[in-house]
Amino acid sequence: MKKNDLIPLTITSATAEGSGVGRTADGMAVFVPLSAIGDELTVRVLKVKKTYAFGKIEDILTPSPARITPDCACFSQCGGCAWRHITYAEECRVKQQRVRDAVERVGGIQTVFRPMIACERTDRYRNKAQFPVGKDRDGKTQIGFYAFHSHRIIDCADCALQPEQFADVIRVTRDFVNTYDVSVYDESTGKGSLRHLYIRHAEVTDELMVCYVVNGGGLKHEDVLLQALRSQLPNLKTVIFNSNREKTNVVLGSKNRVAFGDGFIEDVLCGKIFRISPFSFWQVNRAQAEKLYAKAREYAALTGREHVLDLYCGTGTIGLTMADSCASLIGVEIIADAVRDAEQNALRNGVKNARFLCADAPAAAEQLRQEGIAPDVVILDPPRKGCGEALVKTVAKMSPSRVVYVSCDPATLARDLKYFAENGYQTAEVTPCDMFSRTAHVESVALLRRD
Ligand code: SAH
């Protein structure tokens, strides 16, 4: 097989990024973006490696029965959705299978898999967006998304995953940039001012936060921008300028200046009120987060007597929604602003049995263990890289009767479940939960019990 060959291919599986995969007669895997399991294709080979190849669809001979017509103009250009061309039922099936494959094959774990907690709403569910701002060759302002695996900005007036109102914020910003000829940041030279538009919306309270990431302290004529936002967005609660002068891919810099409002918005999750500030983690799909937390709560099986340790706690959400049902709660989180939010959230909701530590979770857990803290239930909700062996060992030494593991990456979950198995904890069951429909990401929650 060589570049530009046309080959017949049946798509039989999907990668973690959502690309379809088929195998040639001699067993070579060919990755084909935007294909669907069941497609019979003619594929043009783009790149050949030793054991696998990349291709693109040249012709669809027989479409997968799961295919539907994509309903978004940006789909296939922006790096956002992986699956707008298959039914949601098929997407759920693929995600469920991925979690199961990871746990069984990578982790070598046999357990019970509950059906995936699916979304009621597969569009407009996101409450957060970070849009890069740039200009195209003709000097036209672009506000949108990076193309897949690239830093080319795809202009997007209205993303189907985001609240309709975000399109209004984009429009106001675009008008301002055009009218006042605002300079936009150029990644190659490090020059120019406006880098990103970052928006958060609180679904229940309808509060809106707009944050501009700038290469400097602010924007020229920013009072005009503020005025335009305030007059056109009645639910605008706060506007923040974040300063990022570094040549980096990281969106946010370390300093915020509040230009309007209090610098935060508030939303409701599982009946509790939470403060959301620009740096703190907040679940992007609120409706699904409530279902995920309900499952975590069921797995924690609290009776009111338990001591709970919530590691990677963000603004304290999972633990605080359970605080009424346990004796004590300790949350650990590495971002200082999130810890401050967590403390405020405890106060705001009248929770008196919680405390929060700003620390690295593995180090803090070890420290707590040495201090003799022995939780009955440990909640883990790490970022994609997972917990790692050291933390698993520390948790096992603390000897909680149950561990509830919330994971956004099936591969690291599987690895960590294996570490747990080696340290005396069995996986009782796993429930996948779809927090990010139309993208390839899948969340899971697992219950572990001491042997
Ligand atoms: N449980 C929270 C947050 C989960 S996201 C919720 O559901 O809202 C994962 C969190 O882990 C983020 O807030 C991130 O800042 C934090 N984090 C990342 N690395 C960490 C580390 N080494 N130690 C502690 N917290 C960490």
Side-chain angles (χ1 to χ4, degrees):
M1 189 162 46
K2 57 183 190 316
K3 191 174 167 180
N4 271 326
D5 279 359
L6 291 177
I7 56 164
L9 197 73
T10 302
I11 301 300
T12 49
S13 61
T15 67
E17 283 181 338
S19 171
V21 191
R23 282 188 187 275
T24 59
D26 49 8
M28 184 135 163
V30 184
F31 299 97
V32 186
L34 304 171
S35 60
I37 296 175
D39 274 351
E40 286 175 23
L41 306 170
T42 303
V43 166
R44 183 172 292 275
V45 176
L46 297 177
K47 204 193 243 175
V48 185
K49 300 274 188 182
K50 240 192 194 137
T51 54
Y52 58 92
F54 296 97
K56 68 171 190 179
I57 299 177
E58 184 78 12
D59 196 12
I60 301 179
L61 305 174
T62 313
S64 157
R67 268 192 180 266
I68 53 172
T69 308
D71 55 354
C72 170
C74 285
F75 178 62
S76 83
Q77 295 176 49
C78 89
C81 296
W83 290 318
R84 298 195 83 80
H85 63 302
I86 58 172
T87 61
Y88 185 53
E90 169 72 353
E91 178 183 333
C92 290
R93 190 189 67 76
V94 173
K95 287 180 171 177
Q96 175 95 20
Q97 191 61 40
R98 187 159 131 236
V99 174
R100 185 174 195 135
D101 283 353
V103 171
E104 287 183 348
R105 291 192 198 159
V106 181
I109 306 266
Q110 293 301 316
T111 186
V112 176
F113 292 90
R114 299 283 173 207
M116 180 152 87
I117 304 172
C119 291
E120 272 157 43
R121 218 173 60 183
T122 55
D123 275 343
R124 310 266 176 218
Y125 62 80
R126 286 187 60 97
N127 54 33
K128 169 184 168 181
Q130 288 178 330
F131 301 106
V133 184
K135 293 217 166 140
D136 68 8
R137 284 205 195 108
D138 306 326
K140 204 173 131 247
T141 306
Q142 288 174 307
I143 305 179
F145 298 101
Y146 291 126
F148 195 55
H149 283 186
S150 127
H151 269 222
R152 190 165 46 88
I153 300 173
I154 304 293
D155 209 40
C156 180
D158 181 22
C159 167
L161 300 187
Q162 290 165 4
E164 271 143 354
Q165 201 185 21
F166 285 15
D168 298 332
V169 186
I170 293 179
R171 184 178 41 75
V172 172
T173 305
R174 195 192 300 275
D175 287 350
F176 171 74
V177 171
N178 285 338
T179 309
Y180 289 89
D181 202 19
V182 175
S183 73
V184 296
Y185 185 69
D186 181 334
E187 281 185 325
S188 53
T189 62
K191 297 220 162 67
S193 189
L194 183 55
R195 299 175 69 131
H196 273 83
L197 164 61
Y198 168 23
I199 317 173
R200 274 181 150 174
H201 177 245
E203 199 181 19
V204 177
T205 60
D206 193 30
E207 294 180 355
L208 186 70
M209 168 193 292
V210 177
C211 178
Y212 292 98
V213 184
V214 293
N215 178 26
L219 290 176
K220 276 188 208 150
H221 311 291
E222 70 182 44
D223 48 329
V224 184
L225 174 61
L226 282 180
Q227 202 43 51
L229 290 169
R230 289 180 64 180
S231 64
Q232 296 192 49
L233 306 160
N235 56 338
L236 182 72
K237 193 73 200 306
T238 191
V239 179
I240 295 149
F241 285 89
N242 172 271
S243 172
N244 187 353
R245 298 171 200 257
E246 305 292 316
K247 260 195 154 185
T248 166
N249 284 344
V250 179
V251 174
L252 295 175
S254 56
K255 269 200 209 106
N256 286 330
R257 175 171 57 84
V258 179
F260 169 66
D262 301 320
F264 62 86
I265 53 174
E266 289 185 323
D267 208 357
V268 179
L269 197 65
C270 302
K272 299 263 188 306
I273 297 173
F274 292 95
R275 172 187 286 208
I276 308 161
S277 51
F279 291 138
S280 44
F281 179 88
W282 176 249
Q283 294 284 351
V284 145
N285 183 339
R286 201 199 64 87
Q288 286 303 99
E290 284 197 331
K291 293 190 204 160
L292 178 74
Y293 288 6
K295 190 43 103 176
R297 192 187 173 96
E298 176 197 316
Y299 284 171
L302 300 172
T303 63
R305 292 190 299 273
E306 293 80 4
H307 298 285
V308 175
L309 178 59
D310 180 8
L311 297 176
Y312 305 93
C313 71
T315 54
T317 41
I318 300 185
L320 287 173
T321 58
M322 297 180 186
D324 306 347
S325 323
C326 67
S328 76
L329 167 69
I330 302 175
V332 177
E333 161 63 42
I334 204 160
I335 305 280
D337 276 32
V339 174
R340 268 195 295 277
D341 286 352
E343 283 162 350
Q344 284 299 322
N345 290 334
L347 271 178
R348 182 89 163 78
N349 291 288
V351 172
K352 298 205 171 70
N353 57 349
R355 65 182 171 107
F356 296 92
L357 309 175
C358 182
D360 171 49
E366 182 54 28
Q367 177 73 30
L368 290 167
R369 189 188 71 78
Q370 286 175 19
E371 287 167 15
I373 302 279
D376 303 284
V377 175
V378 173
I379 294 159
L380 301 166
D381 187 7
R384 275 185 219 161
K385 69 173 186 177
C387 295
E389 191 169 17
L391 177 56
V392 168
K393 284 200 155 126
T394 305
V395 169
K397 280 191 207 148
M398 288 175 148
S399 199
S401 52
R402 288 181 295 287
V403 174
V404 180
Y405 191 142
V406 179
S407 159
C408 53
D409 185 335
T412 56
L413 171 70
R415 179 203 65 199
D416 288 345
L417 294 183
K418 187 164 176 231
Y419 292 145
F420 268 113
E422 291 159 5
N423 286 279
Y425 281 78
Q426 295 314 319
T427 304
E429 61 175 73
V430 176
T431 305
C433 178
D434 190 24
M435 308 288 282
F436 310 101
S437 53
R438 295 339 202 163
T439 80
H441 297 285
V442 57
E443 194 97 3
S444 319
V445 49
L447 168 64
L448 294 113
R449 288 208 191 89
R450 203 173 47 213
D451 277 352

